[in-house]
Amino acid sequence: MIDSTISSFPLIGLVLLLGLAIGSFLNVVIHRIPRGESVVRPGSRCPACGHRVRPGDNIPVIGYLRLRGRCRDCGAAISRRYPLVEMLTGIIFVAIAIKSGLTIDAALEAIFASAMIALIFTDAREQLLPDVITCPLLLFTLLAAAWRGGWGEPVAYPFDLSLVFATESETGFPAMRAAIVGGLLIAAAVPSFWLIDRLDIFLFNKYHDWQTETDSTRQLTAEEETAIASYEHQDRRMKRLAMAIAIVSSLLWVTLALRLGNHDPLAWKGAWSGLTGAVTGALVGALPLWWLRTGYYLVRGVEGLGLGDVKLMAGIGAFLGWQGALCILLISSIAGSLVGLWMMRTSTARLATAIPFGCFLGSAALAMLLKQIIWLAA
Ligand SMILES: [Zn+2]
């Protein structure tokens, strides 16, 4: 399984540098997305004094070491999270390159891993898994699965929906069915987020708001109101963009599957299998969490698990397959319960809903993605 196409040190060094740079961008995402701020402009600023970070101080990891962890202008401590995220991303990128070589598959895995890192740290800091990340993530994982199934290294799906939908012979490509059902599945990725939000209102008569959740009796400050408004604005804009990309991808899938499906039926059958396998994985990952959350709410009257966890698990299941999704659910529940028990013993506070479960899901997904490398190193 281990691809040895990347074995030279200069190449590994370049991948490491790319990972550090992407990690630096992920820091911006982790800091700004929950505040509804743009990740593009303005440039990096010190959160304490607002001074621009000088280009030399903005170099991943090295900038932090040069400044000895303090802002050059006001001396405020810079969070250790910054070099940590950068190094983590760099190491994971190198691990992916060693596992998959310098291939399109590796690029897809790197995008998936970047989303996991951003979500793990956002959830740890803010108890929030923004739709701005999880919604495009689901669309991305569906398209990536179709690509990998047809032309890359497919995730093994010995039991997937294409067995239900396909009746043609082993090598035949069910072009018409695959084109129509596949197009609908791709187009449904973004509306499924809308649907799962609406279901909450339908079932519980309320939607859990992310910031008012902690203390609904407290009056929000003007600053918080602005932050929520721009967060929601950003959310709507991202969903519109994702929907536009989904419609274009869906039409592209339908056209290409119908026109080219019979030129290379094996590859297209693989792509179709990859896409339906991803949908199976998304459902296997998300449905148990959604049932758990709904059941908990109906019994206890409080939210034990966020909708963000359900949405994240859909993306994870779509990328890693239904077997991967089951493993991740198992690992995360065990790890989450252990940490929860430990927190109950060490803190006097009652066990609130304060365990950021998304951290466990994201970390388990990264471990599953890199399991060959982890076994190799162990
Ligand atoms: Zn400062």
Side-chain angles (χ1 to χ4, degrees):
M1 277 302 242
I2 302 294
D3 192 321
S4 54
T5 51
I6 177 161
S7 50
S8 73
F9 277 110
L11 271 183
I12 288 181
L14 275 179
V15 171
L16 179 68
L17 285 183
L18 177 70
L20 290 173
I22 298 288
S24 183
F25 171 71
L26 293 180
N27 272 319
V28 178
V29 169
I30 293 160
H31 184 77
R32 292 192 185 172
I33 292 290
R35 287 166 183 74
E37 294 169 5
S38 161
V39 295
V40 186
R41 65 205 151 74
S44 303
R45 281 165 199 283
C46 166
C49 67
H51 269 98
R52 280 194 79 100
V53 179
R54 289 158 186 76
D57 298 339
N58 217 354
I59 303 169
V61 184
I62 294 169
Y64 180 86
L65 294 176
R66 255 178 47 171
L67 293 170
R68 295 203 177 81
R70 302 211 161 266
C71 169
R72 195 184 282 282
D73 294 296
C74 67
I78 303 167
S79 168
R80 258 179 239 143
R81 188 185 73 249
Y82 286 90
L84 180 69
V85 167
E86 286 157 0
M87 280 192 295
L88 188 67
T89 313
I91 291 166
I92 286 174
F93 271 40
V94 168
I96 288 172
I98 291 172
K99 179 172 93 84
S100 306
L102 298 180
T103 56
I104 295 179
D105 286 22
L108 298 175
E109 288 176 354
I111 294 172
F112 176 77
S114 302
M116 288 306 115
I117 295 168
L119 288 168
I120 289 169
F121 284 89
T122 309
D123 198 29
R125 283 186 81 203
E126 316 270 349
Q127 300 265 308
L128 178 72
L129 296 164
D131 281 8
V132 172
I133 304 174
T134 51
C135 185
L137 174 71
L138 179 61
L139 177 62
F140 163 78
T141 52
L142 293 183
L143 297 175
W147 165 268
R148 290 197 298 172
W151 300 273
E153 181 84 40
V155 179
Y157 302 120
F159 187 83
D160 68 54
L161 279 177
S162 64
L163 296 175
V164 181
F165 286 117
T167 50
E168 266 86 342
S169 66
E170 272 299 299
T171 48
F173 173 62
M176 184 61 90
R177 188 182 300 119
I180 294 169
V181 179
L184 287 175
L185 290 176
I186 294 169
V190 182
S192 72
F193 269 58
W194 176 84
L195 188 71
I196 201 171
D197 286 343
R198 287 301 166 284
L199 257 178
D200 246 32
I201 299 171
F202 178 72
L203 287 171
F204 316 133
N205 267 326
K206 68 177 260 199
Y207 180 71
H208 297 284
D209 225 354
W210 61 284
Q211 258 186 351
T212 47
E213 178 80 6
T214 43
D215 187 1
S216 51
T217 54
R218 187 171 59 88
Q219 197 69 39
L220 292 174
T221 65
E223 216 168 78
E224 285 170 327
E225 301 253 15
T226 325
I228 292 176
S230 51
Y231 179 81
E232 283 168 353
H233 174 70
Q234 190 190 48
D235 185 75
R236 279 192 301 275
R237 264 182 42 182
M238 179 53 102
K239 282 194 181 124
R240 273 203 295 269
L241 177 68
M243 194 61 225
I245 295 172
I247 289 171
V248 171
S249 317
S250 166
L251 292 176
L252 210 61
W253 166 268
V254 174
T255 318
L256 293 180
L258 285 177
R259 299 207 59 175
L260 302 175
N262 289 320
H263 291 295
D264 189 359
L266 263 181
W268 280 90
K269 194 163 187 277
W272 166 233
S273 175
L275 181 59
T276 49
V279 173
T280 313
L283 293 175
V284 169
L287 279 180
L289 281 188
W290 190 81
W291 279 113
L292 196 68
R293 170 193 143 83
T294 309
Y296 192 84
Y297 191 88
L298 291 176
V299 173
R300 299 282 307 272
V302 286
E303 192 184 27
L305 202 66
L307 261 189
D309 298 308
V310 178
K311 293 165 174 171
L312 166 61
M313 216 32 232
I316 292 177
F319 199 76
L320 298 174
W322 68 269
Q323 303 97 324
L326 286 182
C327 288
I328 286 162
L329 285 177
L330 190 70
I331 298 169
S332 315
S333 326
I334 294 170
S337 327
L338 289 176
V339 171
L341 282 173
W342 175 76
M343 274 169 61
M344 273 208 294
R345 295 196 68 176
T346 51
S347 76
T348 48
R350 65 182 184 86
L351 181 65
T353 54
I355 299 171
F357 195 50
C359 293
F360 295 97
L361 295 175
S363 310
L366 284 178
M368 191 61 67
L369 181 70
L370 297 171
K371 57 182 189 295
Q372 293 119 315
I373 297 291
I374 295 170
W375 278 337
L376 202 72

